[in-house]
Amino acid sequence: MEIGNKLSDDSQKYGIENTCTSGNTLSRAATYFGKARSLIEKERGNMLKAFGTQVAEPLRAMVMGAPLEDARHLAQRYDRMRQEADAQVVEVSRRQNRVRESAGNGEVISKLEAAEYKLEELKSNMVGLGKEAVSAMAAVEGQQQRLTLQRLIALVEAERAYHQRVLEILDHLEEEMVSERQKIEAPPTPAAESYMPMPPPPSYDEVNDMFASTSADQSVNSVDFFLGEALDSFKAESEFELNLSVGDIVIVRKISSNGWAEGECKGKAGWFPHAYVERRERVLASKVPHIF
């Protein structure tokens, strides 16, 4: 944990310092990593807080609560009464021996009868108090089991929410860093080159006429559909063109010989400069829903 936190701090420091001076890809990736680690630590803090408020504190209150204390007091009373009854058994036995030795002394017999009566009373009270204590402890035990199970479920839910949130953070981080890597590996984008005027894209009617014609001059090629990622933004200037933002995933369907390509992105279709898009064999699953 300490190594991860130190790496997170160093990454953010490196990213901030180098972005201000050069804005290179590594510094941006380091910044992404540092921010992601900070978010993960924040989520971990939230999880530990939930452990305290939703698990530890309710369980502590249960242990210190009145029902359990009352049951304990009953159990303690029962133990004291049982000890007293044991002592009374000894007393009755002692007086029985005296009766046998006194040869029918009335006073000794009277004390024996009183001791025996007290013993029976203690036994009766013990039975009632014992049943009450057992019933109270059983009720408290049932309540404790239910509450403990609820708190364990809350603990599992809090930890699951933490891991789900961490997974979302890591997925987003991977998406950002893969995008930065693709920018490094990609050829120079159109933004880095001097733009040359391009002829306007053909309209859909013109394209249809081209495919219907038997002429050998094929200015628009229908290709196997493939996925491409926009390397630069493109703003449509006519109804036949398609707006693109950096990172958009496009289904490319046609390529024109004059530098235009036709495809679909975000539920819209149109033309765009072919050089603005680079073919991708694989894309992140999180970007797929934005294609259609």
Side-chain angles (χ1 to χ4, degrees):
M1 188 65 67
E2 292 180 359
I3 294 174
N5 292 337
K6 183 64 167 60
L7 181 59
S8 171
D9 294 341
D10 290 345
S11 295
Q12 289 202 65
K13 182 178 179 181
Y14 174 84
I16 293 173
E17 292 176 352
N18 288 274
T19 299
C20 294
T21 57
S22 61
N24 60 29
T25 299
L26 180 58
S27 64
R28 289 193 296 271
T31 301
Y32 298 151
F33 174 79
K35 290 180 178 179
R37 283 287 308 184
S38 297
L39 289 174
I40 291 174
E41 282 303 304
K42 181 179 178 182
E43 293 299 327
R44 182 173 179 273
N46 292 338
M47 179 186 67
L48 295 178
K49 182 179 179 181
F51 284 174
T53 58
Q54 299 179 23
V55 180
E57 291 179 7
L59 290 178
R60 186 181 300 110
M62 178 188 69
V63 172
M64 304 301 295
L68 182 58
E69 285 298 310
D70 293 342
R72 284 173 178 165
H73 290 157
L74 284 174
Q76 291 169 358
R77 283 177 55 195
Y78 176 81
D79 287 340
R80 288 195 297 268
M81 188 172 292
R82 182 171 56 79
Q83 293 171 3
E84 187 178 353
D86 291 342
Q88 192 64 26
V89 169
V90 175
E91 177 66 16
V92 168
S93 178
R94 186 175 64 84
R95 291 191 179 278
Q96 287 175 342
N97 292 332
R98 284 189 177 183
V99 168
R100 285 192 294 269
E101 294 171 356
S102 64
N105 187 307
E107 182 180 356
V108 174
I109 293 174
S110 176
K111 289 182 178 180
L112 172 61
E113 291 175 348
E116 289 176 339
Y117 176 80
K118 184 177 180 180
L119 177 60
E120 291 300 322
E121 185 180 19
L122 284 172
K123 288 181 177 179
S124 177
N125 290 338
M126 276 180 58
V127 171
L129 185 59
K131 291 180 179 179
E132 185 179 357
V134 169
S135 176
M137 290 300 291
V140 169
E141 183 180 6
Q143 180 186 20
Q144 285 183 335
Q145 288 181 352
R146 289 191 298 271
L147 183 57
T148 302
L149 178 59
Q150 291 174 356
R151 295 307 94 200
L152 287 176
I153 293 173
L155 183 148
V156 172
E157 290 176 345
E159 188 160 3
R160 182 183 64 180
Y162 162 73
H163 289 295
Q164 287 177 337
R165 180 58 184 144
V166 168
L167 181 59
E168 292 174 1
I169 294 171
L170 292 176
D171 282 344
H172 183 66
L173 173 62
E174 181 187 25
E175 182 177 333
E176 290 179 323
M177 298 187 80
V178 167
S179 177
E180 292 297 330
R181 185 184 66 185
Q182 290 175 343
K183 290 177 183 178
I184 293 177
E185 297 173 350
T189 64
E193 303 170 353
S194 56
Y195 290 108
M196 297 294 293
M198 292 181 61
S203 68
Y204 283 100
D205 291 336
E206 292 173 339
V207 172
N208 291 334
D209 290 342
M210 293 173 189
F211 282 112
S213 172
T214 58
S215 170
D217 182 15
Q218 298 290 330
S219 60
V220 176
N221 296 323
S222 180
V223 297
D224 291 337
F225 291 4
F226 65 87
L227 296 178
E229 181 177 359
L231 303 177
D232 199 14
S233 300
F234 175 70
K235 184 176 182 181
E237 297 182 357
S238 73
E239 60 179 328
F240 303 111
E241 298 176 5
L242 180 65
N243 284 315
L244 294 178
S245 299
V246 175
D248 281 350
I249 301 300
V250 188
I251 300 177
V252 181
R253 302 183 294 201
K254 298 183 181 73
I255 298 177
S256 172
S257 60
N258 64 358
W260 291 86
E262 189 273 341
E264 182 178 353
C265 179
K266 298 178 181 177
K268 296 183 179 180
W271 293 90
F272 51 88
H274 183 212
Y276 279 55
V277 173
E278 184 176 71
R279 188 181 187 121
R280 293 282 184 256
E281 298 299 329
R282 296 175 59 188
V283 297
L284 293 173
S286 58
K287 289 189 175 184
V288 172
H290 301 295
I291 300 175
F292 305 98

